C-alpha cells in the first residue's frame, strides 16, 4: 500500500546532517509555536503540532533516525511511498499521542516504517471474555512478524513497546508549580517510555495466531491491561504454506528427471533425502509424509516437493554435442499429444 512520504527533516526545518542538539532545538521552537494550548481550536496548528511531534519522535531516536535515513535523501515530501522489499517491522509502537490529541496519532507513513499498534478501546478479547475490573488498564493489541521456522518450532522474540509513564518533571499534572505548561511532557502529564519484553511463541503457531501477554497493556490505576499479539508469518524463501502443509519447488536436471535419482531437499527442520522416480515430469508433486508443520494438537502436516526441470543456460561444447547426439538418437516426441 502506498502512503504519503514524510520528509521529517523538512518538517523540523533542519538539514539531513543536523546534530541531536539542533534537532532538539528546532523541535522545541516549533512545538512552542504550534502547541494546542497556545492555539485553542486551531485545527491547522494541531495538525502541524502532530507532524512536528512525529518528526521529532523519529529524528530524536538514533535507531529510528537510522532506519528512516536508510530510505535515502531523494524522497519528496508527499510523494507516493511504498516501503522497499524486505522492509520488515523492527518493533511495535504504541501510539500514545492519541491521549494528547482529539483525533489520531502518527501518520500512516510512520506506521508503515515503524509498525503501529493503536491501543484500542475495549478489545475484542475483553468483550469476549473476562469481566472488566475497575481500575484495570485497557487491553492493547500489537502485531509481530515471525519466521516460518519459529511458527513451526516455537521461539522467543524480543519486542519494544512504546508505553507511557507519568511525567517526572511535573509529577503527572501537566503543569509546573508556577502554572505553566510542563515543557517535558508538553502538558500531557505522561511521557513516552519504551519497554522491552520477551514473548514466547509456542510451537505450531499460524498466521493470525494471537498470543496473550498478561499485564503489558495500557496502565490502569490498579493494574495494567493485557497485551494481545497477533502473529504474522514472514514469507519464506523456500516454502509456501497451505494449512499444515508446506511446498518447496526443487529444480532437477533433464538427466535426473529421465533416469531418476536420489537428491537432497530442504525441509523445515533441515534436509531430507528424496527419491526422484525415473521419468519424473516438471511440475510433478512428490510428498514427504509428516514433514510439514507441527499441528497444535500433535502430529505434523506433509511437505510437498514440486519438481522443476531446468536446463543449463551455458552448456559446454561437449554438452551441446551430447544433446545433439541425443536429439538424433532419440525417438521421443514431446508434442505427440498435440497432433490431430
Ligand atoms: Zn510533565
Amino acid at each position: 500500500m502506498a502512503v504519503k512520504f514524510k520528509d521529517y527533516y523538512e518538517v523540523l526545518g533542519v538539514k539531513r546532517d543536523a546534530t541531536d542538539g539542533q534537532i532538539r532545538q528546532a523541535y522545541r521552537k516549533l512545538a512552542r509555536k504550534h502547541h494546542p494550548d497556545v492555539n485553542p481550536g486551531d485545527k491547522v496548528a494541531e495538525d502541524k503540532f502532530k507532524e512536528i511531534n512525529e518528526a521529532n519522535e523519529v529524528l530524536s531516536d538514533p535507531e529510528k533516525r537510522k532506519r528512516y535515513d536508510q530510505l535515502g535523501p531523494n524522497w519528496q515530501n508527499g510523494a507516493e511511498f511504498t516501503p522497499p522489499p524486505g522492509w520488515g517491522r523492527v518493533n511495535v509502537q504504541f501510539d500514545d499521542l492519541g491521549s494528547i490529541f482529539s483525533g489520531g496519532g502518527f501518520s500512516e507513513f510512520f506506521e508503515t516504517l515503524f509498525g503501529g499498534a493503536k491501543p484500542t478501546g475495549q478489545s475484542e478479547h475483553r468483550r469476549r471474555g473476562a469481566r472488566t475490573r475497575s481500575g484495570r488498564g485497557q487491553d492493547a493489541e500489537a502485531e509481530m512478524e515471525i519466521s516460518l521456522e519459529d511458527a513451526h518450532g516455537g521461539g522467543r522474540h524480543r519486542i519494544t513497546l512504546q508505553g507511557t509513564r507519568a511525567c517526572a518533571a511535573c509529577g503527572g499534572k501537566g503543569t509546573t508549580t508556577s502554572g505553566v505548561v510542563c515543557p517535558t511532557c508538553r502538558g500531557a502529564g505522561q511521557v513516552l517510555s519504551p519497554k522491552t519484553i520477551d514473548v514466547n511463541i509456542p510451537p505450531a503457531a499460524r498466521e493470525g495466531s494471537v498470543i496473550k501477554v498478561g499485564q503489558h497493556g495500557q496502565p490502569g490505576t490498579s493494574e495494567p491491561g493485557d497485551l494481545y499479539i497477533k502473529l504474522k508469518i514472514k514469507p519464506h524463501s523456500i516454502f509456501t504454506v497451505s494449512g499444515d502443509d508446506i511446498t518447496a519447488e526443487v529444480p532437477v536436471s533433464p538427466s535426473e528427471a529421465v533416469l531418476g535419482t536420489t537428491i537432497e531437499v530442504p525441509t523445515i527442520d533441515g534436509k531430507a533425502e528424496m527419491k526422484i522416480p525415473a521419468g519424473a515430469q516438471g511440475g510433478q508433486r512428490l510428498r514427504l509424509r509428516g514433514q510439514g508443520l507441527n499441528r497444535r494438537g500433535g502430529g505434523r502436516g506433509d511437505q510437498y516437493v514440486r519438481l522443476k526441470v531446468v536446463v543449463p543456460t551455458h552448456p559446454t561444447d561437449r554438452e551441446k554435442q551430447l544433446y545433439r547426439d541425443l536429439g538424433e538418437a532419440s525417438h521421443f516426441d514431446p508434442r505427440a499429444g498435440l497432433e490431430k
Side-chain angles (χ1 to χ4, degrees):
M1 183 194 66
V3 297
K4 295 273 181 258
F5 184 82
K6 284 201 181 286
D7 187 337
Y8 291 136
Y9 292 100
E10 193 180 304
V11 168
L12 292 186
V14 294
K15 294 213 179 81
R16 289 189 72 87
D17 58 0
T19 62
D20 291 351
Q22 287 168 330
I23 286 168
R24 200 162 43 239
Q25 214 177 6
Y27 164 71
R28 284 202 182 137
K29 199 172 152 201
L30 289 167
R32 265 198 302 274
K33 185 174 165 201
H34 298 284
H35 198 287
D37 288 357
V38 203
N39 306 275
D42 183 345
K43 186 84 182 72
V44 177
E46 187 182 313
D47 286 347
K48 186 76 193 159
F49 187 62
K50 249 189 243 190
E51 202 175 31
I52 295 161
N53 275 286
E54 181 173 312
N56 183 57
E57 175 75 21
V58 174
L59 298 186
S60 68
D61 177 326
E63 282 293 304
K64 287 203 193 81
R65 186 177 176 186
K66 202 170 131 202
R67 192 165 168 76
Y68 177 72
D69 284 345
Q70 281 169 10
L71 297 173
N74 298 322
W75 286 94
Q76 295 292 313
N77 204 18
E80 291 283 310
F81 171 81
T82 310
W87 187 273
R89 286 181 175 182
V90 279
N91 60 16
V92 181
Q93 295 289 335
F94 276 178
D95 162 10
D96 88 316
L97 292 181
S99 57
I100 311 178
F101 305 114
S102 50
F106 294 134
S107 68
E108 277 186 329
F109 173 71
F110 180 95
E111 297 199 353
T112 303
L113 285 194
F114 302 107
K118 291 197 173 89
T120 52
Q122 286 278 72
S123 84
E124 261 178 62
H125 311 280
R126 176 69 67 77
R127 261 180 259 127
R128 237 186 269 139
R131 281 181 25 220
T132 309
R133 273 160 287 166
S134 63
R136 194 171 171 279
Q138 288 179 342
D139 289 342
E141 288 168 13
E143 228 176 44
M144 188 164 82
E145 266 201 336
I146 62 169
S147 66
L148 183 60
E149 281 82 357
D150 282 350
H152 167 66
R156 208 174 162 78
H157 270 245
R158 178 160 287 191
I159 62 169
T160 302
L161 303 170
Q162 193 63 272
T164 56
R165 59 178 163 74
C167 173
C170 61
K173 289 193 293 291
T175 49
T176 63
T177 43
S178 50
V180 301
V181 172
C182 170
T184 306
C185 63
R186 308 183 300 266
Q190 294 183 328
V191 290
L192 293 175
S193 167
K195 60 179 175 181
T196 301
I197 58 170
D198 286 324
V199 180
N200 276 319
I201 299 150
R206 290 291 184 272
E207 176 82 23
S209 293
V210 174
I211 296 175
K212 177 182 167 180
V213 187
Q215 310 258 307
H216 280 287
Q218 298 298 307
T221 49
S222 68
E223 59 173 337
D226 296 325
L227 170 65
Y228 290 89
I229 299 176
K230 194 173 180 183
L231 299 181
K232 269 182 81 76
I233 299 177
K234 285 181 215 158
H236 198 276
S237 58
I238 296 171
F239 300 109
T240 54
V241 180
S242 172
D244 303 326
D245 300 334
I246 52 175
T247 300
E249 190 174 68
V250 174
V252 290
S253 70
S255 59
E256 286 173 333
V258 172
L259 304 173
T261 184
T262 300
I263 60 170
E264 203 171 64
V265 297
T267 67
I268 191 77
D269 314 295
K271 287 170 182 154
E273 299 252 291
M274 177 164 226
K275 202 173 168 314
I276 308 297
Q281 298 291 336
Q284 191 171 337
R285 245 169 40 127
L286 304 169
R287 177 157 63 172
L288 286 167
R289 199 181 287 276
Q291 302 267 339
L293 301 178
N294 282 322
R295 289 199 181 104
R296 203 82 177 98
R300 291 177 64 169
D302 297 328
Q303 178 179 334
Y304 290 93
V305 168
R306 195 186 309 111
L307 298 180
K308 183 181 181 189
V309 178
V310 294
V311 302
T313 47
H314 302 291
T316 61
D317 288 346
R318 168 136 172 84
E319 279 175 311
K320 282 190 215 166
Q321 189 53 52
L322 287 169
Y323 275 105
R324 245 175 250 129
D325 292 348
L326 176 63
E328 278 161 27
S330 175
H331 298 290
F332 175 54
D333 178 3
R335 289 170 296 281
L338 296 178
E339 277 165 24
K340 288 178 184 161

